[in-house]
Amino acid sequence: MSPSTARAEASHTTATSSLTTTPNAQPSETPLLSARFLSRSYGAFQALKGISFDMRPGEIISVLGPSGCGKSTLLQLVAGLLQPDGGELLLNGALIGSSRTMLPPEKRNVNMVFQDYALWPHLSVYDNIAYGLRRKRMARGDIDRTVGELLELLRLAGLEKRLPPELSGGQQQRVAIARALATRPQLLLLDEPLSNLDMRLRVEMRTEMAELFRKLGTSVFHVTHDPEEAFSMADRLLIMRAGQIDQIGTPEECYNRPASRWVCSLLGGINSLKGKPVVLPDGATGLLLPENDRPIRGLFPRGAGMPEEPRAELMFRPEDAALLDLEGTDALKSRPNGLPVTVSNSIFEGKHWRCRIQSDCGQKMYLLHEGPVEPGSRKWLAVPEVSAHMYAEAE
């Protein structure tokens, strides 16, 4: 059996009844999917380091992180393609994976959509979608009804006789999703499903997929390295780094209050200022820079107090700050939270100009501005307190 054939087989595990649209499932006391101190190694390399989390029925979770962080290993453990070295994996409260127990993929009622779609190239669109249903010997009328519903739902009507090579990338992806949904799995796994599409189609498809899954009440475990894709689809993000979970929360929670310096950087906080952390008279926290006698107000992660280290780091996104005119020293007293900077250059990027700026002690940053700025200009960098994320420098 070829690798593509094996992946196509793995896309289908069970079949039940025809597709029906239902509202998003309500949370229950028993999680749909639970990981308890789950670990997995490849020789000396530890891909997962004892991670734990719960997933609710009807929820869409996006596992976000760079290559090598462990997200693909986690997906394969859930699918039953790998066995854990330690810890436990439970589906609806039943043990499906541990170092001693391994429920086969075909008995998990879990389907996967692969990065390359893994469609049967010699089968028509109809036959690809109907494949899993036929394996379970569903009645012909029920198969026709289920496939017909999916063809309409995924805008594939009229293409049922075409072969996959005759379809566009977006159409092939929709066929792969329809095939995975046909057997009504408990859990749908998505492995970087949009990475092979162009930018315009990625934006279109991630919106369509999120709407579809919520309409059907489908539980989705989605792996991606693209924050925008994760934000547009997920009810919650599971952000991974080096085999561990750095943060679990809604997209808004993770974006507005990143739990770690690394999460902040992953979600666009590329600018960094280093200085001394201070507590202000009103109890707020701030960062005191060597060249600035007015602390820049910022927020430490929820649950994190003032660090014991004598230095801290303040991070913010280029789009969250502003460049203002600097009239004179007296004007600084009324300026918003920030510091004086010098503009090194500005580059046109279409909707905005990207300015490279530098603090008086040489700390370099980037900012988005509505127009060009003359190199060498002195400006005031204004950083809103809610967008200034602070961390212990030693983190």
Side-chain angles (χ1 to χ4, degrees):
M1 183 182 292
S2 70
S4 62
T5 300
R7 290 196 299 274
E9 285 278 7
S11 296
H12 303 282
T13 55
T14 68
T16 53
S17 59
S18 70
L19 191 77
T20 57
T21 57
T22 59
N24 216 30
Q26 297 299 312
S28 66
E29 293 184 3
T30 302
L32 172 67
L33 180 68
S34 294
R36 297 286 178 264
F37 307 104
L38 198 63
S39 63
R40 170 72 192 196
S41 297
Y42 301 96
F45 175 70
Q46 194 169 6
L48 292 179
K49 303 174 182 178
I51 67 171
S52 298
F53 65 88
D54 288 328
M55 178 181 180
R56 299 184 292 267
E59 187 174 28
I60 301 175
I61 284 186
S62 289
V63 184
L64 178 63
S67 298
C69 71
K71 61 185 187 294
S72 294
T73 295
L74 175 58
L75 191 73
Q76 292 181 64
L77 289 173
V78 176
L81 303 177
L82 289 176
Q83 185 167 5
D85 295 331
E88 296 180 338
L89 195 61
L90 298 94
L91 189 65
N92 278 324
L95 183 65
I96 60 171
S98 71
S99 60
R100 298 182 178 182
T101 301
M102 181 69 172
L103 188 69
E106 65 272 13
K107 295 185 178 180
R108 297 190 178 198
N109 194 17
V110 171
N111 286 352
M112 181 183 288
V113 176
F114 291 92
Q115 184 174 349
D116 60 359
Y117 317 135
L119 298 174
W120 299 100
H122 62 290
L123 296 182
S124 68
V125 168
Y126 180 99
D127 289 335
N128 264 284
I129 298 173
Y131 179 81
L133 304 176
R134 286 172 173 158
R135 287 193 62 189
K136 301 304 291 187
R137 304 192 180 189
M138 181 182 283
R140 176 62 184 267
D142 291 336
I143 293 176
D144 286 344
R145 183 170 59 255
T146 299
V147 174
E149 289 177 2
L150 286 164
L151 288 170
E152 291 292 335
L153 200 59
L154 286 147
R155 297 189 293 114
L156 293 167
L159 303 178
E160 51 267 36
K161 294 183 179 180
R162 291 193 186 181
L163 297 175
E166 299 171 336
L167 302 175
S168 68
Q171 290 168 338
Q172 290 185 56
Q173 187 217 45
R174 291 200 294 272
V175 173
I177 292 172
R179 183 183 61 180
L181 289 174
T183 57
R184 299 293 285 162
Q186 290 186 84
L187 181 61
L188 180 63
L189 309 180
L190 302 180
D191 182 12
E192 300 274 9
L194 305 178
S195 60
N196 291 332
L197 304 180
D198 61 48
M199 177 63 71
R200 182 193 62 79
L201 197 52
R202 281 204 301 271
V203 173
E204 177 183 327
M205 288 305 303
R206 70 194 186 200
T207 303
E208 289 186 5
M209 286 186 350
E211 291 178 354
L212 172 66
F213 297 145
R214 289 189 172 91
K215 179 179 180 181
L216 298 176
T218 306
S219 303
V220 180
F221 200 68
H222 163 232
V223 161
T224 182
H225 66 277
D226 183 352
E228 290 188 4
E229 181 181 318
F231 283 141
S232 66
M233 290 184 58
D235 297 314
R236 284 194 299 159
L237 302 180
L238 192 158
I239 302 178
M240 296 191 65
R241 171 181 57 156
Q244 297 177 312
I245 298 173
D246 259 34
Q247 187 169 4
I248 300 178
T250 67
E252 293 85 357
E253 289 169 347
C254 295
Y255 187 85
N256 294 328
R257 295 299 295 271
S260 69
R261 180 191 183 283
W262 189 86
V263 171
C264 186
S265 177
L266 179 70
L267 301 184
I270 62 172
N271 292 318
S272 170
L273 290 166
K274 297 181 180 180
K276 178 183 178 181
V278 294
V279 178
L280 304 177
D282 61 358
T285 54
L287 188 77
L288 187 62
L289 300 175
E291 74 272 30
N292 198 22
D293 59 357
R294 297 175 60 208
I296 303 176
R297 290 172 174 261
L299 301 173
F300 282 100
R302 287 190 175 94
M306 179 65 68
E308 296 180 0
E309 290 83 356
R311 288 179 61 79
E313 188 170 8
L314 183 149
M315 302 177 69
F316 63 94
R317 303 178 183 92
E319 62 269 26
D320 288 340
L323 274 185
L324 305 176
D325 289 334
L326 183 62
E327 294 92 0
T329 304
D330 292 340
L332 295 182
K333 296 179 181 179
S334 62
R335 284 298 187 191
N337 202 40
L339 73 156
V341 294
T342 301
V343 177
S344 301
N345 66 11
S346 57
I347 299 173
F348 182 59
E349 293 186 344
K351 293 187 296 183
H352 53 250
W353 292 73
R354 182 175 297 271
C355 299
R356 188 174 67 188
I357 58 179
Q358 184 171 301
S359 71
D360 290 348
C361 67
Q363 300 188 77
K364 295 181 175 61
M365 296 158 284
Y366 292 88
L367 193 83
L368 303 184
H369 196 60
E370 68 274 9
V373 184
E374 189 69 24
S377 299
R378 291 285 288 172
K379 295 287 183 179
W380 180 262
L381 171 66
V383 185
E385 181 178 357
V386 295
S387 301
H389 308 292
M390 291 181 61
Y391 307 95
E393 188 180 356
E395 184 183 290

